Every structure is written in structure tokens, then in C-alpha cells.
Amino acid sequence: MANQALTEGVYYILLSLTEPLHGYGIMQNVEKLSGGRVRLAAGTLYGAINTLLEKGWITALPGEKDSRKKEYQITAEGRLVLLEELARLTELLENGKKLFGGTDHA
């Protein structure tokens, strides 16, 4: 589906949206999942959200009429893209382990 590697930010956004979340919740979850290593600025996040919406990998959930907070969730297509990326990353890790015999070589 993706036919290309996902950026870390997009990977973590899709991973975060296995449960419905609004923008700020996504930012918090990405930081938590990455152990604080990946921090998304609002502009970066919403640019990525717009791209993911266009690709059909996430969807905006209908919100309450008076609420400005919009929640998003991964779609079936997005889940497939995420699983393909996970398989790609697993292959990379396994190939590295074969070459170095584990993770204790620098």
C-alpha cells in the first residue's frame, strides 16, 4: 500500500490512532510512545493529519456540534499500511541482528 517507508512521525501518528484521539492527544501519545524522542509541533502534526486524511489512512470522527476538538482514527487502509511498515521495520532489525549477531556491537 505505502510502497515507501513511513516517516517516524507518520508511523507514530498512525500507531496513536488505533484509538480515537484529538490533535493534542496525538502529540502527547507520540511523545509517550517514543520515550520523548519524537515531539511533533502543531504545524507538523496538522500537516501530516491533512495528508493522512487525503490518503484515506485516517478519518475524522463526527464530533459534538459545540466542540472545536476533532478526533481522528485510523482506517482499515491505514491499519494495513501500518502493518506493512511494521513488517518492513522487523525485516530491517532482523537483518541487522544477523549481521552483528545481536545488539551489543557498536
Side-chain angles (χ1 to χ4, degrees), residues 89-103 105:
L89 293 171
T90 299
E91 179 184 333
L92 289 174
L93 180 62
E94 292 302 317
N95 287 336
K97 284 182 177 180
K98 286 177 195 173
L99 183 61
F100 287 103
T103 58
H105 294 83

Side-chain angles (χ1 to χ4, degrees), residues 54 77 98:
E54 288 172 8
E77 185 177 356
K98 286 177 195 173

Side-chain angles (χ1 to χ4, degrees), residues 9 25 29 39 53 61 63-64 70 83 102 106:
N29 202 50
R39 293 182 178 152
L53 286 167
L61 300 177
E64 297 176 25
K70 189 176 283 190
L83 290 172

Side-chain angles (χ1 to χ4, degrees), residues 66-92:
D66 297 335
S67 177
R68 289 180 33 169
K69 287 184 181 178
K70 189 176 283 190
E71 286 193 325
Y72 304 92
Q73 189 167 20
I74 196 169
T75 63
E77 185 177 356
R79 188 175 298 276
L80 182 58
V81 168
L82 187 58
L83 290 172
E84 287 175 355
E85 179 67 358
L86 187 57
R88 186 188 74 80
L89 293 171
T90 299
E91 179 184 333
L92 289 174

Side-chain angles (χ1 to χ4, degrees), residues 22-80:
H22 53 79
Y24 184 67
I26 296 168
M27 290 168 69
Q28 290 179 311
N29 202 50
V30 166
E31 189 171 340
K32 178 183 167 191
L33 287 171
S34 69
R37 197 174 46 76
V38 178
R39 293 182 178 152
L40 298 174
T44 302
L45 173 66
Y46 287 105
I49 284 174
N50 287 332
T51 300
L52 295 172
L53 286 167
E54 288 172 8
K55 289 183 176 190
W57 295 356
I58 66 171
T59 188
L61 300 177
E64 297 176 25
K65 291 180 183 178
D66 297 335
S67 177
R68 289 180 33 169
K69 287 184 181 178
K70 189 176 283 190
E71 286 193 325
Y72 304 92
Q73 189 167 20
I74 196 169
T75 63
E77 185 177 356
R79 188 175 298 276
L80 182 58

